[in-house]
Amino acid sequence: MKEILVLSGKGGTGKTTITASLALLAQNSVLADCDVDASDLHLLVSPNVQESHDFWSGVTAKVDPKKCTGCGTCAELCRFEAVSMGEKAYIDHFSCEGCTVCAHFCPEDAIELEPNLSGEWYISETKYGAMVHARLHVGEENSGKLVSLVKRESRELAEEIGAKWIIVDGPPGIGCPVISSFSGADLVLAVTEPTSSGLQDLKRLIKLAYHFKTDVCVCINKWDLNESFCNEIEVYLEDNEIPLVAKIPFDKAAVDSLVAGKPLLEYTTGLAADAIRKMWPRIEAMLLS
Amino acid sequence: MKIAVASGKGGTGKTTIAVSLALAASTAKVQLLDCDVEAPNCHIFLKPVVDEEEVVSLDVPAVIEQKCTYCKKCKELCQFNAIAVFGKTIMVFKEMCHSCGGCFLVCPEEAFSRDSREIGTVVTGKGKGSIKFVQGRLRVGEALATPLIKAVRSRALEDGLVILDAPPGTSCPVINTVRGADYTLLVTEPTPFGLHDLKLAAGVLWKLEQPFGVILNRSDLGYGEVEKWCNKNNVPVHLKIPFDRKVAEGYAKGQPLVEIVPNYRDRFAFLLKELSK
């Protein structure tokens, strides 16, 4: 079983569009959507939810006003500026990181720790294989933990059903959820676009892949929107011996396929679809070598 | 006035909008804070002259082995799995630490000394015109974006116009950027992805009870549901920016929208005037 992780650094470069099409090409795969705070993959693969679970993570501190004497110990100790003092202490849910320091040191034992219901996660069936996905509630912490959970579940599921591939749609950026998504990945497919922002964010992502000693390959999406910039990216990749697995042209059909709620490859046979189709054997070869 | 620019979905044009607002402002004091510390890109368009680069670090614990009695009180308190104790071995995983300070406080033997972990850099400078510019850059390999975003926000001007460019998503880094803003502009595109993620982002602002409106980028993609949703939910659509190949090409090279199509400068200036009412 091999796992491919689709990332981009910069958002909106086409990760989900490409992931959905890979799902169609890779036979016998499990899909995992690790973009847990703005997941979109389900919009293209129409999952039929089989199992739904709550995601409890961490705790939030809450003051019992009956016990609080307003001494201010909690406000003094909190490093996250989550406590404001009036006559009593008040703890702001959005700022609280659940470190429990306030509760531990409150002389009146006036702070309760409530478990956090931070989201849900699902196991679903799709036309293209089983899928593990999740939804972090708005404004919640611990997206990294939810990503780890989605990854663990998708791996177990893949082992159970003897899947050959795990295809992971990753979050944007390079922080906590992205770092969590690296564990167990055999290859990162970095999706970029021919813009200064795209290249800059790609470089940071590649550095991160080096940091975790994970192989990386790149595809340039909408490459023909700026051919000279595309060249610049290609030179960078060549200099750093990073394989370029596809140049996908701009294709209006990509948007139409989103509206139709289908993977691009199922929707059309245009130039972009063609480029993705040709990319898969290259990725397959990298994973199997 | 503080205006945050955010979106659920990535790549919808947050940076384009944030930079346009800063460049269109007629106020003397304008500051742009790039809070997308994982993928900061405003500098590409503002081309700032950098005055200062400051490394931001978190206080993390280091064990003084001779003092430790392996009582495990620190391990029991730590919610972030940053301390492990087995037998007569204690280990601190400083990359896991959130710097809550609990271990220092709970240790009866004072067996911790202060160490630090670099989380990134805050760059300050001046961009085109006289725009004050602050940018956070997360160190590659660092997981915690929030403390760095707080460091960027701590440099916000008290008066004048402050524009905050947020990261994508709906979780803690976004909250820490948009919180307390006088107004938030959610940038989206008319696609099912754009709508889905706009609903999530709107959920954040509703939960925070902060006012917001929408800017529709690549507004001519032909999917009308986003505007319908906005109308139904009384969310104002302030501006529609149709796709323009000239703009996309300029963007690729790092040209701000208001320089590629100068009449956008007036439209953004008008929007700022509207929002300041």
Side-chain angles (χ1 to χ4, degrees):
Chain A
M1 182 177 35
K2 296 282 182 187
E3 180 181 318
I4 172 163
L5 169 63
V6 184
L7 291 174
S8 69
K10 178 170 165 24
T13 57
K15 284 183 295 300
T16 303
T17 298
I18 287 168
T19 305
S21 286
L22 289 183
L24 198 119
L25 292 167
Q27 302 292 315
N28 193 11
S29 61
V30 167
L31 289 172
D33 191 349
C34 284
D35 189 0
V36 295
D37 66 318
S39 58
D40 286 330
L41 186 59
H42 64 280
L43 297 173
L44 296 182
V45 299
S46 316
N48 192 347
V49 175
Q50 306 288 308
E51 282 178 37
S52 169
H53 304 266
D54 286 339
F55 170 61
W56 293 87
S57 172
V59 290
T60 302
K62 205 176 166 190
V63 178
D64 180 347
K66 284 196 229 82
K67 290 189 189 167
C68 178
T69 59
C71 73
T73 306
C74 50
E76 200 183 302
L77 295 181
C78 177
R79 292 258 188 105
F80 306 106
E81 293 162 23
V83 186
S84 50
M85 291 303 302
E87 216 167 286
K88 312 270 174 183
Y90 170 77
I91 298 172
D92 171 50
H93 174 79
F94 289 116
S95 301
C96 176
E97 297 213 4
C99 73
T100 74
V101 165
C102 56
H104 194 92
F105 291 98
C106 172
E108 310 299 331
D109 223 1
I111 298 175
E112 283 156 27
L113 300 169
E114 291 182 343
N116 245 343
L117 178 61
S118 315
E120 286 101 43
W121 64 275
Y122 317 96
I123 294 181
S124 297
E125 265 173 19
T126 79
K127 230 166 116 180
Y128 321 97
M131 172 173 174
V132 183
H133 48 130
R135 195 172 61 99
L136 191 71
H137 290 167
V138 293
E140 285 294 336
E141 310 238 341
N142 287 322
S143 55
K145 279 192 190 161
L146 186 52
V147 167
S148 299
L149 193 148
V150 168
K151 292 214 63 174
R152 204 170 52 237
E153 292 295 330
S154 56
R155 187 152 286 265
E156 269 174 28
L157 188 64
E159 273 163 12
E160 201 181 297
I161 62 178
K164 197 172 173 196
W165 315 102
I166 302 174
I167 302 173
V168 184
D169 192 10
I174 58 163
C176 162
V178 175
I179 287 174
S180 294
S181 70
F182 263 88
S183 79
D186 295 291
L187 178 68
V188 169
L189 170 63
V191 182
T192 190
E193 59 179 32
T195 64
S196 315
S197 310
L199 177 57
Q200 204 142 107
D201 298 342
L202 174 70
K203 285 180 181 170
R204 281 161 71 77
L205 177 63
I206 285 171
K207 242 172 104 181
L208 190 67
Y210 287 164
H211 182 89
F212 290 113
K213 301 183 174 60
T214 307
D215 285 337
V216 55
C217 61
V218 171
C219 82
I220 306 173
N221 196 12
K222 304 177 232 178
W223 73 271
D224 49 344
L225 279 187
N226 191 313
E227 294 185 25
S228 68
F229 226 97
C230 182
N231 264 331
E232 201 170 309
I233 297 176
E234 286 183 61
V235 169
Y236 165 77
L237 295 177
E238 222 165 273
D239 288 350
N240 290 279
E241 296 178 17
I242 297 161
L244 174 66
V245 288
K247 282 164 69 176
I248 303 167
F250 176 76
D251 189 343
K252 176 80 173 53
V255 173
D256 300 337
S257 73
L258 297 190
V259 175
K262 285 182 178 155
L264 182 65
L265 248 63
E266 190 176 313
Y267 181 77
T268 171
T269 51
L271 288 174
D274 209 39
I276 297 174
R277 200 181 300 278
K278 285 182 183 140
M279 169 169 75
W280 174 243
R282 293 182 193 130
I283 293 172
E284 212 175 1
M286 278 187 79
L287 282 167
L288 297 176
S289 69
Chain B
M1 184 169 66
K2 287 192 179 68
I3 299 177
V5 184
S7 75
K9 179 169 160 31
T12 54
K14 284 180 294 304
T15 300
T16 299
I17 301 304
V19 170
S20 298
L21 287 169
L23 288 172
S26 53
T27 6
K29 262 192 183 170
V30 186
Q31 186 187 41
L32 179 59
L33 304 180
D34 193 345
C35 296
D36 189 0
V37 302
E38 297 180 44
N41 289 325
C42 287
H43 64 287
I44 294 173
F45 303 91
L46 277 188
K47 302 182 175 61
V49 180
V50 173
D51 296 329
E52 205 189 342
E53 286 195 29
E54 196 183 319
V55 170
V56 177
S57 297
L58 284 184
D59 273 352
V60 299
V63 185
I64 307 167
E65 288 266 8
Q66 308 91 289
K67 288 190 179 176
C68 178
T69 60
Y70 313 101
C71 71
K72 295 190 183 172
K73 287 195 171 123
C74 53
K75 180 207 171 279
E76 281 153 17
L77 184 65
C78 179
Q79 300 295 306
F80 308 106
N81 301 319
I83 301 176
V85 183
F86 19 82
K88 297 225 175 298
T89 306
I90 177 165
M91 288 170 87
V92 172
F93 306 105
K94 68 178 192 177
E95 71 281 6
M96 304 288 281
C97 177
H98 282 222
S99 195
C100 72
C103 52
F104 288 92
L105 293 166
V106 80
C107 178
E109 313 297 335
E110 296 187 5
F112 288 106
S113 63
R114 265 174 223 294
D115 195 355
S116 69
R117 177 176 96 229
E118 182 187 329
I119 56 166
T121 313
V122 173
V123 181
T124 46
K126 264 177 225 76
K128 289 185 177 182
S130 57
I131 297 168
K132 294 180 174 55
F133 178 67
V134 185
Q135 173 196 62
R137 280 176 171 262
L138 193 69
R139 176 179 59 83
V140 174
E142 172 59 49
L144 286 189
T146 304
L148 188 60
I149 293 170
K150 285 183 181 166
V152 172
R153 284 205 59 165
S154 72
R155 285 156 177 84
L157 296 175
E158 291 292 325
D159 55 347
L161 176 67
V162 179
I163 313 277
L164 303 114
D165 190 13
T170 58
S171 59
C172 36
V174 179
I175 300 271
N176 276 284
T177 306
V178 305
R179 196 143 196 223
D182 297 299
Y183 200 79
T184 300
L185 291 165
L186 297 178
V187 187
T188 193
E189 56 182 35
T191 66
F193 285 9
L195 175 59
H196 179 262
D197 297 348
L198 171 65
K199 288 179 185 169
L200 296 173
V204 172
L205 275 306
W206 278 325
K207 208 167 166 185
L208 289 172
E209 299 178 11
Q210 289 185 198
F212 67 97
V214 163
I215 290 186
L216 212 49
N217 198 10
R218 296 186 274 270
S219 57
D220 48 352
L221 288 177
Y223 180 74
E225 297 302 315
V226 176
E227 270 192 273
K228 266 191 217 157
W229 182 86
C230 289
N231 288 338
K232 209 176 130 198
N233 290 279
N234 292 321
V235 173
V237 177
H238 293 290
L239 201 60
K240 291 188 216 173
I241 302 171
F243 179 78
D244 179 345
R245 203 172 167 111
K246 201 169 72 190
V247 172
E249 279 167 10
Y251 170 87
K253 288 183 283 195
Q255 278 177 321
L257 171 66
V258 298
E259 284 175 16
I260 307 165
V261 187
N263 74 22
Y264 273 114
R265 194 181 290 271
D266 293 340
R267 296 179 65 185
F268 278 100
F270 182 76
L271 173 61
L272 282 171
K273 211 180 274 172
E274 226 178 37
L275 296 182
S276 65
K277 274 179 200 158

